[in-house]
Amino acid sequence: MRRLRALSVGAAVGGGLAFLTGIGVAAAQTPDELQAGLDDLTGAIDLAWLLIAGILVLFMQAGFAMVEAGFVRSKNVTNILMKNVLDASLGAVIYFAVGYGLAYGVSSAGDAGSFFGAGNWFLTDGFSDYGFWFFQFAFAATAATIVSGAMAERTRFPAYLVYTVFITGLIYPVVTHWGWSDFGFLSAFAEDPMNGVGLVDFAGSTIVHSVGGWAALVGAIVVGARKGRFSGGHVSAIPGHSLVLGVLGVFILWVGWYGFNPGSTLGLSGGAAEIAARVAVTTTLAAGAGGATAMLLSWTQHGKSDLSLTLNGVLGGLVAITAGCATLEPWAAILAGVVAGAIIVYGVMLLDTLRIDDPVGAVPVHLMNGIWGTLAVGLLSSEALMDNAYGVTSTYGLLLGGGTDLFITNLIGVLAVAAWTVLTSAVLFLAIKYTIGIRVSDAEEDAGLDVYEHGMEAYPEFTGGRDPFASVAETTR
């Protein structure tokens, strides 16, 4: 303890001398030199924040992997983990090649159009904003990951390879350009935004989550339900193999969301730090309210509190607040989370009624709550926070007396993204179905995709150390 105290005193003395020396150096600098140094430091802090946030968003891939692995049967765990790994791996390459160019690219010859970007292919045309690229890549990988869970346990691996490339390289980037680039026709950052406000989707309830959700819904419909899920007029539950992994995944995602939402300030300077801190609070409150509401409603509906619905309630709350995390007051964030939790419980019931099989609940979590979160911005955004985050005072939440402009603009954004994503996803999945095939055979589904698609099992010690290739041969006889 004495040694630590001595070191502390020494450090303090050394620090004081360094500070005094710094004052002397600073005094010898011109005002322009001082300002340049300050600007350099501010830029470095903003870049560090963007990189840290991007790392947190990329870490969400681990959360998605754990949730999806936990919610599928043990015979399909290797398959779903492989897809999550490749969402990031393939996504990095395709977003480098064309995805970023379609989303934000500007060529040296001129500006991008209102529909898609035009330049910076392979990060050329004088590109230098590497921190921004990294952050946006992590978002793109998230959108693609959403789809794999809804189509789990019956989709061919080659079909997955095709659709994940197209979602990351085309479908998602175009929507990103519409809503977040300086040139998109929906963008709040355009020179003359729609209705004077543009689409207010701070971190992507619609731009990220509903894109993945719409594609997941179309994919689940095209590939069809798992065997035994809907048979004889009954809905049969097919439990996942590990709620432990599910819980771990949800907490990883919750932590990662602090890169997703607060990180969308893209920096900390110029008042952005205050916004980021508030966003962290609204994100937390919505997640908590979503989980608590889903638990209570599942208890009311089924007589037991359902952990899987509670977990998805947390995720639903996170998705719902993603659009309005900077413009909703804390009390409104709780309300958004409460509605999100209800959407999870009744959304799952709706899918069962429609005979749509979604093993992980991706559609209620990402699509239904992506829509709700975007519309909640138009209903509940406060006047002061719209001014603070977007510099807009002409319109705010409809239910708070702010008129209809914001709500209508966000509704148009929801519908435009729905039309684009459903159309392109339908063409994509149907093309896959009628060319290389989208669904595994009955024998493959019975034995599990781990054995058929990858020749290995996630838990070989629990199968008596059998040879997975022998299992394949036995099943195909």
Side-chain angles (χ1 to χ4, degrees), residues 403-472:
T404 60
D405 284 351
L406 177 57
F407 180 82
I408 290 174
T409 306
N410 272 26
L411 177 60
I412 291 172
V414 167
L415 295 176
V417 170
W420 164 258
T421 310
V422 170
L423 176 62
T424 53
S425 297
V427 170
L428 173 62
F429 287 121
L430 289 173
I432 293 172
K433 179 178 180 178
Y434 292 111
T435 53
I436 64 174
I438 197 169
R439 184 169 182 133
V440 299
S441 67
D442 287 350
E444 292 171 318
E445 188 173 350
D446 289 338
L449 275 64
D450 289 1
V451 170
Y452 267 91
E453 300 281 8
H454 310 289
M456 62 181 63
E457 298 169 298
Y459 305 104
E461 66 273 23
F462 294 111
T463 57
R466 72 186 182 199
D467 181 357
F469 295 99
S471 299
V472 172

Side-chain angles (χ1 to χ4, degrees), residues 93-121:
V93 177
I94 194 67
Y95 200 71
F96 158 75
V98 298
Y100 182 89
L102 287 171
Y104 297 101
V106 178
S107 71
S108 57
D111 294 334
S114 62
F115 191 78
F116 57 84
N120 297 130
W121 316 112

